[in-house]
Amino acid sequence: MTEPTSGYLSAVSRSVRDLLAGRRGTVLIAIAGGWFLTMGVRMIYPVMVPYLQSAYDLDLTTAGLLLTVLFMAYAIGQLPGGVLADRIGERLILTSSMLISAITLVLVITAGSAIVLFVATALFGFGAALYAVGRYTILPQLYPEQIGAANGLTASSQDAGQSVLPPLAGIIAAGLVWQLGFGFAVPLFLAMAAVLWVVTPKRSADDADDAEALSLSGLRYIASILRQPAIVYPTTILVLGLFVWQAFTGFYPTYLVQEKGLSQPLSSGLFGLFFALGILIKPLSGGAYDRIGARRSLLFLTTGPIAAFLALPFFDSFWVLIVVTAFISTLLGFTTVTEPFLLEHLPEDIRGTGFGILRTIGFSIGALGPVFFGAAADNGFFDEAFMALAAFAGAIMLLALRIPAE
């Protein structure tokens, strides 16, 4: 191992030890645990698409619409989550999200019709969104000097959940009944709600009361901030990245089964590998952001996905697909760069609300990815849809050059 590499790994190790030390380390672990569960369960949906198609007679376009409903509800919940985080604090928001997720999953597994399934899915997505903003806005309070590294660590817990829980759900659904592929998570959400309520610090009354009402003058102030180049370009990258990410993750397992001929367990395992690599990629990209800034980090992170999306239609070998999946997985680091950048450039008095607005914009547009992707697949353009994703990733690379230098 070369001396620069050894020195870098040593610095990463010291950074992780600093993050996990003391009371704030306990809070960070609990928040990461909730994020592991929330995002892991959300990504069970793509694995369960074949089962839902059979149970409710859904074609790929309708299945894509179900995923769009999930992601759109998640997008819509970002703004209320941000406003509530500013007003009542993260402790109540994070705990409530866990309880809502548990209740709505019960509705998902007991749905008697496709309409009920769609409604329950929307409610689950909204509940998950409440957790998303709260777990971000608490980080600058806990780690003002290491926000990139702290975000990278919690973000890696997302990929740990997405690498473990979807394959587990696939095994449970194949071996038992598909409802248990969702249902096993209900007691986990309830347990996590109790943990978060105990360990998350309660915001003081003064802090909670400082959040201003969304008056006309307040909205004008927020709009003036959101028009700044330091906000516009990273937000546009966030939008494009989420569109690509949600389109890809929504149908990659189905693509591997229907177009590449893989079995359901193999496709679920490859899908899990995609997220497992994010456990490494996100802390490294967060550390890279702290060290070299957003622009250079994003240029590196988008190179692999562009090449991999273009190559994917031409290879059927399982071992080659592993390599292609690994290259695509570097895409997972884009939020670990853009979101800390946005948080640092939003004034503290509107950080929750402003960040909620930006994530609502990003996830609302990004949520359209699965339905367009599903429609393309239904019309025989599965391979071409992946090539289109390469073009979107190329646009992200070009926009990264426009981010103001730190």
Side-chain angles (χ1 to χ4, degrees), residues 325-342:
T325 301
F327 275 100
I328 296 174
S329 69
T330 64
L331 179 72
L332 290 166
F334 84 95
T335 55
T336 321
V337 173
T338 54
E339 290 177 331
F341 185 93
L342 289 168

Side-chain angles (χ1 to χ4, degrees), residues 128-173:
L130 298 181
Y131 198 97
V133 179
R135 78 97 177 169
Y136 277 109
T137 57
I138 199 172
L139 293 181
Q141 303 169 40
L142 296 173
Y143 298 95
E145 76 288 356
Q146 291 176 288
I147 185 174
N151 182 58
L153 192 147
T154 55
S156 69
S157 72
Q158 168 183 342
D159 292 302
Q162 292 172 151
S163 65
V164 172
L165 298 186
L168 177 60
I171 292 171
I172 293 173

Side-chain angles (χ1 to χ4, degrees), residues 12-44:
V12 171
S13 178
R14 286 196 304 272
S15 176
V16 171
R17 286 198 300 270
D18 290 343
L19 290 173
L20 300 181
R23 167 71 175 173
R24 67 178 186 173
T26 302
V27 178
L28 185 65
I29 291 171
I31 291 171
W35 198 229
F36 168 97
L37 187 58
T38 299
M39 292 293 98
V41 172
R42 194 178 72 144
M43 278 297 108
I44 287 175

Side-chain angles (χ1 to χ4, degrees), residues 139-353:
L139 293 181
Q141 303 169 40
L142 296 173
Y143 298 95
E145 76 288 356
Q146 291 176 288
I147 185 174
N151 182 58
L153 192 147
T154 55
S156 69
S157 72
Q158 168 183 342
D159 292 302
Q162 292 172 151
S163 65
V164 172
L165 298 186
L168 177 60
I171 292 171
I172 293 173
L176 299 171
V177 294
W178 72 262
Q179 288 89 344
L180 289 180
F182 287 110
F184 79 92
V186 172
L188 300 180
F189 275 115
L190 295 175
M192 202 66 237
V195 171
L196 286 164
W197 183 258
V198 171
V199 305
T200 306
K202 184 178 180 181
R203 182 180 294 190
S204 68
D206 289 342
D207 290 340
D209 291 341
D210 281 342
E212 293 184 3
L214 291 178
S215 62
L216 182 59
S217 61
L219 290 173
R220 287 173 177 166
Y221 169 59
I222 293 172
S224 69
I225 297 297
L226 300 188
R227 287 196 299 266
Q228 295 175 0
I231 302 298
V232 171
Y233 289 115
T235 300
T236 306
I237 290 172
L238 183 67
V239 168
L240 291 175
L242 290 171
F243 186 94
V244 172
W245 181 85
Q246 292 181 154
F248 172 75
T249 58
F251 282 98
Y252 193 45
T254 303
Y255 176 78
L256 293 174
V257 171
Q258 295 187 0
E259 300 296 320
K260 301 301 184 182
L262 299 188
S263 66
Q264 186 71 36
L266 278 180
S267 68
S268 298
L270 206 54
F271 192 53
L273 173 66
F274 170 75
F275 292 111
L277 293 170
I279 300 172
L280 175 65
I281 290 166
K282 287 191 174 178
L284 291 177
S285 59
Y289 168 72
D290 287 336
R291 287 169 173 266
I292 64 175
R295 183 186 298 176
R296 291 167 63 189
S297 298
L298 286 168
L299 292 175
F300 172 77
L301 291 169
T302 53
T303 302
I306 293 172
F309 282 136
L310 291 173
L312 181 59
F314 301 101
F315 296 98
D316 295 331
S317 166
F318 177 72
W319 301 107
V320 176
L321 290 173
I322 291 177
V323 176
V324 171
T325 301
F327 275 100
I328 296 174
S329 69
T330 64
L331 179 72
L332 290 166
F334 84 95
T335 55
T336 321
V337 173
T338 54
E339 290 177 331
F341 185 93
L342 289 168
L343 282 169
E344 289 189 318
H345 287 78
L346 288 169
E348 187 173 356
D349 58 335
I350 63 159
R351 183 172 287 153
T353 302

